[in-house]
Amino acid sequence: MPRKLDLRSGRPVWFAYRAPAVPVEKLTRDVKTDVLIVGMGISGAMMAEALTRDGHSVISIDRRGPLQGSTPATTALVQFEIDQPLTKLSRMIGRAYAEQAWRRSRLAVLNLRGRIAELGIDCGSTGIQSLYLAGNALGPSQLHDEAEARRQAGVGATYLSHEPLAEKFGIDRAAAILSHDNLALDPRKLTAGLLLKALPRKARHYAPVEATTIEDSHDEVVVGTSLGPTITAKHVVLATGFELTDIVPATTHRVISTWAIATRRQPRNIWPGAALIWEASEPYLYMRATADGRVICGGEDEDFTDEVLRDTLTANKSVRIAEKIGRLFPHLDTRPEFAWAGSFGSTTTGLPYIGALPRHPRIHAVMGYGGNGITFSQIASEIVSSAIGGAGDTDAKLFAFNR
């Protein structure tokens, strides 16, 4: 059933910070539940918390274990700004749909921040501003148009020319868009926190367990496992990230290799406001600071070929990323203390695929592609939990497989 990938390599910086342990059980017999979630990364954790909040019984499984897939490889710049600029996305899918997607993305970040606070999850969640720097994809005049398009859509944006950008943030670039109310957080701590919150409700976590077959009928889905026992559920949610299953329809997507580094702690050297930074370039650089003053920076993306080639490039990519940081902030110590590689999916529009599979209404897939994986996972938890609960979501069609 699955396409298996080695989703990351190296040592992501998040392993320097202790995340709570998530207890798991061994699957030794056939079991039944309302919803089976395949995957215990950030997408699966958000689904488990949302569904148990609604009163559903949930079983989560993962062939590796909690937090062991691609989740630790994220740099966790949790932004509402979609990879595809609003002006460009409008040309692709129409202005109304593009604005709707951007507004839903902004709402998702606000909802996630509120949910973390309500649940009391200690994951270093901090509301933060972001800077979208002019680059080879969008120059100053195009950034100005982008900022205006966002304002017209009801999404706050401030255009900064060279002088105020340099004066306020110490960045020597031609222009930037300043946004507010994004998030910086620790993705492992968030994922563990969500899985733990689901447990006292009606959740059970089994690992390592690999789903090997899926058979659905009009009233249930039966999933076979590598251990032998079956899991019968009213609904199944595939939160397997970029490890696709045969039952998921082919979509216009590709798998990308990306690299990231993290520096030593240097809190006195961090730029003003510790704003999230990313570029209007191809490939683009993206950067943030941790609460204790490390600089995390990623980029140098390439089309994924295989894990071996990806991993052999890590040393060279780390040097290039460090050099780019140095050009932007010459006063920083850019030497990597952590370096890692990962894989993620990308779609033409930059929007994820979320929802029930065509001809399989009880099987839902969460394919949170692009650089907004955590934001899209939040949207997925809202859309899929509404569908399973029998309610609709006004934005579901934006992300559906048959869009």
Side-chain angles (χ1 to χ4, degrees), residues 23-360:
V24 296
E25 304 175 53
K26 292 183 178 180
L27 185 64
T28 58
R29 59 182 177 83
D30 295 348
V31 290
K32 290 188 176 183
T33 188
D34 291 340
V35 186
L36 167 64
I37 301 171
V38 183
M40 295 173 69
I42 186 63
S43 296
M46 286 186 178
M47 288 302 321
E49 194 283 319
L51 289 165
T52 55
R53 185 199 326 158
D54 290 344
H56 301 288
S57 62
V58 166
I59 287 177
S60 299
I61 63 172
D62 194 292
R63 72 181 183 90
R64 298 180 181 87
L67 289 68
Q68 296 300 310
S70 59
T71 293
T74 178
T75 50
L77 284 75
V78 185
Q79 298 175 266
F80 66 82
E81 292 115 316
I82 296 171
D83 276 357
Q84 203 67 267
L86 177 56
T87 47
K88 188 173 181 180
L89 186 61
S90 295
R91 294 192 292 270
M92 289 179 163
I93 65 174
R95 178 177 172 179
Y97 283 141
E99 290 180 346
Q100 191 175 354
W102 268 74
R103 285 192 292 263
R104 182 56 180 264
S105 185
R106 181 166 177 76
L107 178 63
V109 173
L110 295 174
N111 286 347
L112 176 58
R113 184 178 184 181
R115 194 64 189 151
I116 292 170
E118 185 177 342
L119 293 169
I121 296 175
D122 181 12
C123 61
S125 173
T126 305
I128 204 162
Q129 57 195 356
S130 69
L131 288 168
Y132 187 40
L133 304 180
N136 60 28
L138 295 180
S141 63
Q142 294 160 311
L143 272 191
H144 188 276
D145 293 343
E146 174 70 13
E148 182 59 31
R150 294 185 193 181
R151 283 196 295 270
Q152 291 180 11
V155 178
T158 301
Y159 175 80
L160 299 178
S161 60
H162 176 269
E163 187 174 334
L165 178 61
E167 183 178 313
K168 187 171 183 179
F169 295 99
I171 297 176
D172 183 19
R173 283 291 180 92
I177 293 176
L178 174 65
S179 300
H180 297 273
D181 298 322
N182 284 306
L183 286 178
L185 50 78
D186 182 319
R188 292 180 71 243
K189 290 182 178 180
L190 174 58
T191 302
L194 291 167
L195 290 170
L196 289 170
K197 292 296 180 182
L199 271 178
R201 300 166 181 170
K202 298 180 180 179
R204 289 168 285 172
H205 303 324
Y206 294 99
V209 177
E210 182 177 345
T212 54
T213 60
I214 299 179
E215 299 290 341
D216 59 323
S217 62
H218 72 283
D219 60 353
E220 67 180 17
V221 186
V222 179
V223 175
T225 71
S226 55
L227 301 178
T230 62
I231 304 171
T232 302
K234 297 175 184 176
H235 295 269
V236 168
V237 179
L238 300 175
T240 57
F242 320 120
E243 294 186 289
L244 308 181
T245 58
D246 292 340
I247 201 169
V248 177
T251 56
T252 307
H253 76 276
R254 57 192 178 123
V255 178
I256 304 294
S257 294
T258 191
W259 290 265
I261 66 170
T263 69
R264 67 171 178 86
R265 296 180 181 91
Q266 45 187 320
R268 294 183 179 180
N269 292 337
I270 301 302
W271 52 95
L276 308 180
I277 295 173
W278 58 310
E279 292 181 312
S281 296
E282 182 62 42
Y284 69 82
L285 201 71
Y286 43 97
M287 187 185 313
R288 59 161 290 193
T290 61
D292 57 357
R294 298 183 192 274
V295 177
I296 301 175
C297 188
E300 288 292 308
D301 299 354
E302 292 189 11
D303 283 347
F304 176 86
T305 304
D306 59 64
E307 296 92 337
V308 174
L309 177 59
R310 179 197 67 196
D311 296 348
T312 60
L313 296 174
T314 298
N316 181 56
K317 294 288 189 179
S318 298
V319 170
R320 294 178 65 176
I321 291 171
E323 289 173 347
K324 288 184 176 181
I325 300 174
R327 288 196 291 270
L328 197 61
F329 294 114
H331 63 282
L332 285 173
D333 180 354
T334 65
R335 291 173 294 179
E337 190 170 296
F338 299 84
W340 66 97
S343 298
F344 70 96
S346 175
T347 63
T348 304
T349 61
L351 299 180
Y353 285 92
I354 298 167
L357 302 182
R359 299 180 300 281
H360 300 280

